[in-house]
Amino acid sequence: MGALIWHVCVIAALSSLSRAAPVSNSFDVVVGSPVFAPLGPKTTLPCWLNPSESAEAMDIRWFRQTHFDTPVLLYHAKAFDETTQDSSYTGRVSFGLKDAESGGLKTGDVSLELATVTLQDSGNYTCYVSSDRIYDSSSISLIVTKTGTSPLLSAVWKEDKVNVSCESEGWHPEPSLHWSDAQQALTSKNTKYSTDSSGVVSVHSWILVSSSSQVSCSIVLSGAEAKEARMRLEKPPAAESGSSVGGWVVSALLLAVIAVGVGWFCFKKKGKKARSEGDNAEETDRLLQIGVIQPTNHSTASKNYVNVTLDDVDPQILTFKKGKFRDAPGIASAGQKVTCLTATKGTPCFSSGRHYWEVSLGKETVGIKQSWWVGVTSLTKIPRDISPTAANGFWFLSSSPDIAESFQFNHAPNVLLPVNTQLQTIGVYLDYDNGELSFYDVTNKTLIGTLRTKFTKEVFPFFNPGLGDAAPMEILQREEAGENSSMQNSTPLSNDGS
Ligand SMILES: *[C@@H]1O[C@H](CO)[C@@H](O)[C@H](O)[C@H]1NC(C)=O
């Protein structure tokens, strides 16, 4: 008899298990804190039952706002039910795990996993769980984030002040923008946001600062992503101050990316030219006011690799050995100012198109150059005593041992671009037609700075190994240099061909 009763009990227990009626009479649906998720990959909205119990046989419905009847996900009778599902979520949703230790549905974890996250997915989601006796729900918000472009700083001199602008695009949601100088935070009342139809936010801000200061603009997204650009301004030489109203514009550099992802985003902004053809065509030294033209990123620029060779050098002035060159012994005494004496140009010349080349500035083992000029020139022959200004046909970035930890453009001698690493290889990108000349730290694949001008004559790659700097300069050659490649033989080099 006893055995029979036992048997009946087991059957009752089994059938109740298979119906999987809830064991308890009460549970709470609990959600995690708001989720910040980058655009693209999958994300999880945590939601679970408290106390923990199996949700395998419960009805689980995730829906947005008031769209109870067209859910994001519906799980019913132990299966996903897609008949009423909001079609924009079809194939993108499943159950996820709230954390690595979670036992999933069996332990009451009903988290929503959402794949290929889009900006439109931002918003509130309700997690609704019901058993045949009870139900509960809770809402969680999803904030889809998109990190924008590195801020672009530009400076225009105004009498004794400098109007510095900072702009960046491609953010979501609206980021905050912070100015600071070397000492403290600065406030600008001139920060404007604009949002395009897809919800992507651009920001532009300007601030007047004293003509000699270090300015930083950082753009921060809640959810911990930030990008910063910095530059140091110096008083322009007296003769020039106040002269050019339009002044020149220098693009910023990316200093720090405190971001989860990789530093650079691919932004293709071709076709958006903020230049009016024909105006001031004669003024080659006047930089164009840049609208929202972002400098070309390194990976795009380096697709235009061209093998550049150095023109014959005067052995009295430069020594050239196995592709490496520096100033000849005894031509200069220490501390002497670098001039066009040691400057030289390369081949081929460019009068259209996009071109990229790289110059090695030494290695850590042998020392890294402190003194150099790298850029382009429109002169076919470089007089020794010419002043290397834009008006004379020179556009270059330079480094000098007496200016610590920064580079400067010959165009904009009163802006110093801070650098935080030793530059071993510099990449030069010339977009002739769009008037862009950008410089990169090849090792880190980051932009150092961009200058914009309007080229009217053909230009040649331009180099100056400085004076008394033992580390040689070398123009790097690539075997697989693209269609741009010139005719000369290239020596294979171990440079990353990406
Ligand atoms: C500073 O430059 C911005 C453009 O970046 C311009 O809109 C603003 O009017 C300028 N401010 C002054 C005081 O010139």
Side-chain angles (χ1 to χ4, degrees):
M1 284 305 258
L4 182 63
I5 290 168
W6 182 84
H7 191 72
V8 170
C9 287
V10 169
I11 289 173
L14 279 176
S15 70
S16 118
L17 261 184
S18 66
R19 267 184 54 248
V23 194
S24 73
N25 286 321
S26 141
F27 58 75
D28 286 331
V29 168
V30 184
V31 293
S33 37
V35 171
F36 289 87
L39 186 68
K42 64 185 178 190
T43 190
T44 302
L45 304 183
C47 178
W48 63 94
L49 304 184
N50 184 36
S52 160
E53 72 173 274
S54 172
E56 281 176 304
M58 296 189 187
D59 279 6
I60 299 153
R61 182 185 293 261
W62 278 92
F63 63 95
R64 296 189 61 175
Q65 283 95 23
T66 55
H67 305 295
F68 185 89
D69 295 329
T70 49
V72 167
L73 175 149
L74 177 60
Y75 176 81
H76 171 72
K78 295 197 167 182
F80 291 109
D81 179 348
E82 293 180 354
T83 49
T84 55
Q85 187 184 30
D86 176 338
S87 61
S88 64
Y89 290 93
T90 309
R92 293 202 295 139
V93 287
S94 59
F95 287 124
L97 299 179
K98 67 182 167 78
D99 52 46
E101 284 78 48
S102 165
L105 273 192
K106 277 200 277 303
T107 58
D109 183 353
V110 297
S111 299
L112 176 73
E113 186 176 285
L114 178 60
T116 44
V117 173
T118 68
L119 290 185
Q120 287 68 40
D121 292 337
S122 285
N124 277 327
Y125 288 74
T126 303
C127 171
Y128 178 99
V129 185
S130 59
S131 69
D132 29 2
R133 274 180 264 174
I134 43 174
Y135 68 88
D136 191 26
S137 69
S138 221
S139 292
I140 178 170
S141 63
L142 169 65
I143 300 119
V144 180
T145 61
K146 183 175 182 326
T147 307
T149 55
S150 310
L152 201 57
L153 283 179
S154 51
V156 176
W157 259 253
K158 298 243 155 201
E159 280 135 32
D160 58 341
K161 291 272 180 186
V162 187
N163 181 355
V164 181
S165 309
C166 177
E167 52 198 315
S168 174
E169 58 185 9
W171 296 86
H172 190 275
E174 193 175 283
S176 56
L177 184 147
H178 308 275
W179 287 102
S180 62
D181 62 15
Q183 281 88 41
Q184 58 189 357
L186 306 171
T187 40
S188 167
K189 292 195 187 74
N190 303 295
T191 302
K192 286 206 177 69
Y193 293 92
S194 59
T195 307
D196 73 10
S197 55
S198 62
V200 176
V201 183
S202 300
V203 56
H204 175 250
S205 180
W206 60 268
I207 193 167
L208 289 179
V209 297
S210 88
S211 62
S212 120
S213 50
Q214 173 159 318
V215 198
S216 152
C217 170
S218 77
I219 303 184
V220 185
L221 205 55
S222 45
E225 303 209 10
K227 286 195 171 188
E228 185 193 17
R230 223 186 272 177
M231 64 182 169
R232 202 157 91 219
L233 307 162
E234 298 200 321
K235 253 190 170 49
E240 281 178 35
S241 68
S243 60
S244 58
V245 180
W248 34 261
V249 176
V250 175
S251 301
L253 66 165
L254 173 71
L255 244 200
V257 184
I258 313 136
V260 189
V262 192
W264 281 103
F265 280 71
C266 290
F267 278 89
K268 297 227 168 77
K269 299 225 53 179
K270 301 290 140 56
K272 198 171 180 183
K273 296 179 196 170
R275 46 188 303 175
S276 44
E277 299 298 334
D279 72 337
N280 302 309
E282 74 290 347
E283 280 193 69
T284 50
D285 65 329
R286 179 165 163 189
L287 283 165
L288 291 168
Q289 190 73 43
I290 43 176
V292 284
I293 301 181
Q294 284 286 339
T296 307
N297 67 39
H298 180 259
S299 85
T300 306
S302 61
K303 292 197 175 93
N304 301 280
Y305 209 101
V306 52
N307 282 326
V308 167
T309 45
L310 201 66
D311 286 1
D312 286 343
V313 295
D314 178 351
Q316 304 278 299
I317 292 174
L318 292 178
T319 59
F320 186 89
K321 215 160 100 191
K322 290 191 189 151
K324 297 186 165 67
F325 57 101
R326 62 162 294 191
D327 56 328
I331 64 151
S333 52
Q336 209 174 313
K337 197 166 174 288
V338 179
T339 64
C340 279
L341 172 69
T342 48
T344 179
K345 66 182 214 16
T347 315
C349 69
F350 308 110
S351 54
S352 68
R354 302 180 175 133
H355 314 278
Y356 173 86
W357 60 95
E358 290 177 355
V359 184
S360 163
L361 303 170
K363 296 212 164 49
E364 245 147 343
T365 46
V366 283
I368 292 173
K369 279 195 95 56
Q370 301 298 316
S371 168
W372 48 262
W373 300 354
V374 171
V376 297
T377 179
S378 61
L379 301 193
T380 48
K381 211 167 166 52
I382 301 163
R384 292 176 177 197
D385 49 4
I386 193 168
S387 166
T389 61
N392 286 337
F394 297 90
W395 298 269
F396 60 85
L397 188 68
S398 68
S399 162
S400 126
D402 49 310
I403 305 176
E405 290 166 354
S406 51
F407 302 139
Q408 68 191 129
F409 288 124
N410 73 311
H411 243 84
N414 30 21
V415 171
L416 300 180
L417 303 174
V419 276
N420 34 15
T421 52
Q422 284 264 52
L423 185 61
Q424 293 191 27
T425 305
I426 183 170
V428 185
Y429 174 66
L430 169 71
D431 181 342
Y432 188 98
D433 305 305
N434 290 313
E436 173 181 346
L437 188 65
S438 289
F439 298 90
Y440 306 88
D441 175 344
V442 174
T443 315
N444 298 316
K445 301 191 171 23
T446 50
L447 178 76
I448 297 167
T450 294
L451 60 82
R452 293 188 183 272
T453 188
K454 184 164 194 158
F455 298 110
T456 51
K457 293 186 200 150
E458 58 182 19
V459 293
F460 299 85
F462 174 69
F463 311 91
N464 189 336
L467 289 176
D469 188 336
M473 199 176 237
E474 180 179 4
I475 309 168
L476 300 178
Q477 308 289 308
R478 272 196 204 174
E479 212 164 36
E480 76 284 19
E483 63 213 36
N484 268 312
S485 179
S486 51
M487 293 289 118
Q488 84 265 335
N489 291 325
S490 350
T491 330
L493 260 162
S494 62
N495 215 281
D496 159 40
S498 63

